[in-house]
């Protein structure tokens, strides 16, 4: 019984970045994973090619009022009440094209394949309210 429970726990955690990440590493990863090419975060952050990401964890999709270029797919997610939880951010940055093929991010960003790097980036995002 214990083996079955342990195996199930490993299967659930295996491909996800839900393990606690390191926000300091995530800050560096944000730049090296090319996030900072299109997004700003922190005091004074502005919209660039992508929206600013302050407070992204817990925010509704497509909800930055002064960001005019959300894709139709992203707008639809927002209209449906989709929220950027840590789990949803993990899915998105793993492979944006799988979620919303018509988004600018899907066209320009291949995703972050490493779960540890994703966890670190998400930890960093979570520190910027």
């Amino acid at each position: 019984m214990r083996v079955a429970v342990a195996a199930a726990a490993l299967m659930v955690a295996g491909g996800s970045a839900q393990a606690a990440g390191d926000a300091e590493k995530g800050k560096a990863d944000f730049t090296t994973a090319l996030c900072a090419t299109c997004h700003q975060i922190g005091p004074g952050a502005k919209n660039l090619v992508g929206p600013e990401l302050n407070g992204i964890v817990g925010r509704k999709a497509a909800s930055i009022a002064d960001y005019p270029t959300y894709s139709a797919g992203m707008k639809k997610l927002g209209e449906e009440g989709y929220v950027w939880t840590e789990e949803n951010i993990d899915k998105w940055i793993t492979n944006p094209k799988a979620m919303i093929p018509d988004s600018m991010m899907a066209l320009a960003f291949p995703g972050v394949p490493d779960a540890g790097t994703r966890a670190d980036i998400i930890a960093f995002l979570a520190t910027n309210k």
Side-chain angles (χ1 to χ4, degrees):
M1 178 71 154
R2 288 183 191 164
V3 172
V5 170
L10 285 173
M11 286 172 41
V12 168
S16 163
Q18 295 307 299
D22 180 322
E24 283 302 312
K25 286 182 182 176
K27 184 176 183 178
D29 292 337
F30 185 83
T31 301
T32 59
L34 302 178
C35 307
T37 302
C38 296
H39 298 279
Q40 287 188 351
I41 192 165
K46 294 182 170 84
N47 297 324
L48 299 175
V49 172
E52 59 88 359
L53 297 178
N54 290 327
I56 187 69
V57 178
R59 184 168 77 200
K60 189 173 94 169
S63 62
I64 298 293
D66 63 346
Y67 181 72
T69 55
Y70 286 114
S71 67
M74 187 62 72
K75 287 178 186 175
K76 183 175 183 214
L77 280 183
E79 290 164 2
E80 293 171 351
Y82 191 86
V83 174
W84 290 118
T85 62
E86 291 183 14
E87 180 180 68
N88 286 341
I89 294 169
D90 183 50
K91 288 179 203 169
W92 177 241
I93 67 174
T94 297
N95 184 357
K97 195 169 194 166
M99 279 185 66
I100 307 175
D102 75 332
S103 71
M104 283 192 290
M105 190 157 152
L107 299 172
F109 181 71
V112 179
D114 182 73
T117 301
R118 291 193 315 270
D120 294 342
I121 291 169
I122 293 166
F124 170 64
L125 293 174
T127 66
N128 289 275
K129 310 267 181 209

